[in-house]
Amino acid sequence: MSFEGMKVFNIDHGSAIPLHLQVEDLLRELIKNPEYQEGKLLPNEVALAKQLGISRNTVRQATNKLVFERLLVRKKGVGTTVAKDNITTKLDKWSSFTHEMGEKGVTFRNYEIEVAQVEADEEIRRLFNITRKSKVVKLERLRGLDTGPVVYFISYFHPRVGLTGKEDFTQPLYDMLERTYHTVASVSKEGISAILADKELSKKLEIAVGDPVLFRKRVVCDPGAGLLSITLAFTGQINLPIPLR
Amino acid sequence: MSFEGMKVFNIDHGSAIPLHLQVEDLLRELIKNPEYQEGKLLPNEVALAKQLGISRNTVRQATNKLVFERLLVRKKGVGTTVAKDNITTKLDKWSSFTHEMGEKGVTFRNYEIEVAQVEADEEIRRLFNITRKSKVVKLERLRGLDTGPVVYFISYFHPRVGLTGKEDFTQPLYDMLERTYHTVASVSKEGISAILADKELSKKLEIAVGDPVLFRKRVVCDPGAGLLSITLAFTGQINLPIPLR
DNA sequence: TCGTTGAATATGTATGAACATATAGACATA
DNA sequence: TATGTCTATATGTTCATACATATTCAACGA
């Protein structure tokens, strides 16, 4: 079997290895090709089955597993592609995670709010060194994949940071701050842990209450200007990088 | 449908909801029963299909998903049961750590093992590009504070890495590899997510079953020599940087 | 121009059948 | 007693087939 003159794959009907496993391996190899990584439709199920001399059911048995792993995305009426926003590959470079997501799948809203009315108000007051009545800008961002929302960000900006509304929140926050406010922002503190989703989080991330969620805190500051923002990120819906069994 | 006088379940053939999804829900309910939680065999596929008036394939389509989620375990020739442990059943066999370093709060033990016998064997075989019969070195480490164990590491070394037994595992792994093997090791891949502690993990980390645990994967490689090791880290007991409410 | 229709296409759902194979237990044998 | 064999059972694999449904896009018509 070959597609567009690529490497030739074969199925061994006499092998002790089940056909669907052979197909699975074959597909894992096939989708390494850049064209598929870039979104090209895989050969459709019927054609693939015919070319390999097996039934469509067997092909589906193989692709089912890859779809479960979220390596592939099947779309009715269209076809099957490599999951472009494959969370596993994205998380390979966690730091640049937000950078690579692009504009797609990003929603946000921001508004002024009294410190007293936000979560973690004490911590924020302490870090920002402001009073309970002070107003901060709260920014909520939701980032998603084909499979749904994945990361929920909450950022609080120091009162001195006046947002214009034209900021580009699809970029990492500190990039934006640097460009917009000509500061020398740097990540001063980072914490990471696992928590359980509460009602609000579960709604945002479209997961069940009690599902495990990755929680990350990042403080962006300017050594000269003082603290600028605190960002909380909640990440659900992540496949185990290694499927344990 | 009912089993042993339990709650009656029904399949609606006229419903807009696909049969296999109805069966899936039905099974999720069914296995909440203590008897199934305790290991009782589920009704076998053929009987279940017959009782529900659907085909065996449709039943399998439903159970496939639950098996993939590791909620169910199917055993050829035996039957299907609720999975006892989520992370790995093989953790059961693990004996207590034999070696204890002088370094406070660090225990470890390492031994050769066939790939086929480890968790995540498929992924490891794929990453290391080795056969099922290959032997890898498995290293378990437990790192703790005064308050108890905090991080539980599992590392697998590529067969080409022959451990002498004199390695210093109290240092970061890639440091050790660099010093010992004069490689130019670097972290090539990192995945991170949140999972729920199962029985074995909870025992290792001395937390409750169901507590959220931070899961991290790290692959250390030498650009010249290739992949060197894969490390899984399970971290519990982390204080939230910001106490959420 | 804009909206509708319909065909082509690809995946989604579901059935029924057949044979393979691992497991446990009953039974027979050395 | 220990071992080997047979058998019933349940899952594993694979096939052929049929129809449902979402998507795209081109052709058509107001």
Side-chain angles (χ1 to χ4, degrees):
Chain A
M1 181 193 85
S2 73
F3 296 104
E4 281 77 48
M6 298 304 305
K7 194 170 155 190
V8 174
F9 296 101
N10 275 307
I11 292 290
D12 179 3
H13 276 264
S15 163
I17 300 171
L19 297 181
H20 71 90
L21 289 182
Q22 292 185 49
V23 176
E24 188 189 322
D25 286 343
L26 181 157
L27 287 172
R28 283 188 198 276
E29 281 304 313
L30 185 68
I31 63 179
K32 285 180 183 171
N33 281 313
E35 52 198 69
Y36 294 119
Q37 289 292 330
E38 286 156 17
K40 186 183 172 188
L41 287 176
L42 296 194
N44 76 66
E45 295 172 354
V46 178
L48 191 50
K50 195 167 184 180
Q51 287 192 61
L52 295 175
I54 59 179
S55 84
R56 186 183 158 213
N57 282 345
T58 304
V59 170
R60 273 186 79 82
Q61 201 174 345
T63 50
N64 270 338
K65 198 163 164 190
L66 301 181
V67 169
F68 274 138
E69 286 183 22
R70 297 197 211 177
L71 217 59
L72 297 183
V73 173
R74 281 197 296 228
K75 220 173 163 190
K76 192 195 280 192
V78 181
T80 305
T81 56
V82 173
K84 190 45 194 155
D85 296 323
N86 186 316
I87 195 71
T88 304
T89 58
K90 285 298 173 197
L91 287 176
D92 285 351
K93 317 147 196 163
W94 172 258
S95 57
S96 58
F97 180 46
T98 54
H99 211 62
E100 292 190 11
M101 293 288 290
E103 301 97 56
K104 213 176 74 184
V106 178
T107 59
F108 70 92
R109 66 183 186 127
N110 60 314
Y111 48 92
E112 276 199 342
I113 188 173
E114 266 189 18
V115 184
Q117 289 174 28
V118 308
E119 319 86 357
D121 57 331
E122 279 188 31
E123 173 99 3
I124 287 174
R125 266 179 29 238
R126 189 165 56 78
L127 288 173
F128 281 174
N129 191 29
I130 54 180
T131 70
R132 206 177 293 267
K133 297 265 184 203
S134 298
K135 294 220 170 189
V136 293
V137 170
K138 177 172 179 176
L139 168 68
E140 294 178 71
R141 285 174 297 165
L142 204 50
R143 228 170 250 278
L145 307 178
D146 301 344
T147 50
V150 171
V151 190
Y152 173 50
F153 298 92
I154 308 175
S155 300
Y156 297 104
F157 294 88
H158 193 282
R160 108 175 70 238
V161 178
L163 295 185
T164 62
K166 292 180 181 175
E167 289 80 7
D168 178 10
F169 292 120
T170 62
Q171 309 255 339
L173 214 51
Y174 56 88
D175 280 1
M176 186 275 285
L177 287 171
E178 276 192 22
R179 233 188 320 281
T180 310
Y181 301 99
H182 308 291
T183 60
V184 196
S186 65
V187 176
S188 70
K189 198 176 178 184
E190 187 154 342
I192 197 162
S193 62
I195 62 174
L196 298 179
D198 63 1
K199 215 170 89 184
E200 190 183 337
L201 259 186
S202 69
K203 213 169 74 182
K204 292 284 185 190
L205 294 172
E206 292 175 17
I207 58 179
V209 172
D211 277 358
V213 172
L214 188 65
F215 169 74
R216 196 189 54 178
K217 178 178 103 171
R218 173 176 285 174
V219 177
V220 174
C221 79
D222 179 333
L227 218 46
L228 291 177
S229 78
I230 298 174
T231 298
L232 315 180
F234 303 92
T235 308
Q237 298 281 38
I238 301 185
N239 262 357
L240 283 185
I242 291 188
L244 296 170
R245 61 175 201 193
Chain B
M1 182 193 85
S2 72
F3 296 106
E4 281 77 49
M6 297 304 305
K7 194 171 156 189
V8 174
F9 297 102
N10 276 308
I11 292 290
D12 180 3
H13 277 264
S15 164
I17 300 172
L19 296 181
H20 71 90
L21 289 182
Q22 292 186 49
V23 176
E24 187 189 323
D25 288 343
L26 180 157
L27 287 173
R28 283 186 199 279
E29 281 305 313
L30 184 68
I31 63 178
K32 284 180 182 171
N33 279 312
E35 51 199 68
Y36 294 119
Q37 289 292 330
E38 285 157 16
K40 187 183 172 188
L41 288 176
L42 297 193
N44 76 67
E45 296 173 352
V46 177
L48 190 50
K50 195 167 184 179
Q51 288 193 61
L52 296 175
I54 59 179
S55 85
R56 185 182 158 214
N57 279 344
T58 303
V59 171
R60 275 186 77 82
Q61 199 174 349
T63 51
N64 271 340
K65 198 163 164 191
L66 302 181
V67 167
F68 184 83
E69 287 181 19
R70 277 171 286 133
L71 219 59
L72 296 182
V73 173
R74 281 196 297 230
K75 216 173 166 190
K76 192 197 277 192
V78 181
T80 305
T81 57
V82 173
K84 286 199 177 72
D85 302 307
N86 290 328
I87 301 296
T88 160
T89 53
K90 294 182 180 144
L91 283 170
D92 280 340
K93 299 175 196 154
W94 290 359
S95 48
S96 56
F97 290 76
T98 53
H99 298 315
E100 297 226 356
M101 289 293 295
E103 195 74 26
K104 197 168 122 192
V106 178
T107 60
F108 76 93
R109 69 177 190 133
N110 61 312
Y111 48 90
E112 273 200 341
I113 187 173
E114 266 190 19
V115 183
Q117 288 173 25
V118 307
E119 328 77 16
D121 58 330
E122 278 188 34
E123 173 94 2
I124 286 174
R125 265 177 32 234
R126 191 164 58 79
L127 288 174
F128 280 172
N129 193 29
I130 55 180
T131 69
R132 208 176 290 267
K133 296 262 182 205
S134 298
K135 295 222 167 186
V136 294
V137 170
K138 178 171 178 176
L139 168 67
E140 296 175 67
R141 284 174 298 164
L142 203 52
R143 207 175 269 276
L145 305 176
D146 298 342
T147 52
V150 171
V151 190
Y152 174 47
F153 298 94
I154 310 174
S155 300
Y156 299 103
F157 292 89
H158 192 283
R160 107 175 74 235
V161 178
L163 295 185
T164 63
K166 293 180 182 175
E167 289 81 8
D168 177 12
F169 291 121
T170 62
Q171 310 257 341
L173 214 50
Y174 55 88
D175 281 359
M176 184 276 288
L177 287 171
E178 276 192 23
R179 236 189 317 283
T180 312
Y181 300 100
H182 309 290
T183 61
V184 196
S186 65
V187 176
S188 70
K189 200 175 180 185
E190 186 154 342
I192 198 161
S193 62
I195 61 175
L196 298 180
D198 71 342
K199 213 171 84 187
E200 293 308 315
L201 258 186
S202 69
K203 213 166 74 183
K204 294 283 184 192
L205 294 172
E206 292 177 17
I207 57 179
V209 173
D211 276 359
V213 172
L214 188 64
F215 169 76
R216 196 188 55 179
K217 177 178 102 172
R218 173 175 285 175
V219 178
V220 173
C221 82
D222 179 332
L227 219 46
L228 291 178
S229 77
I230 299 172
T231 298
L232 316 180
F234 303 92
T235 308
Q237 299 285 41
I238 299 185
N239 276 340
L240 283 183
I242 292 186
L244 295 170
R245 55 169 200 202

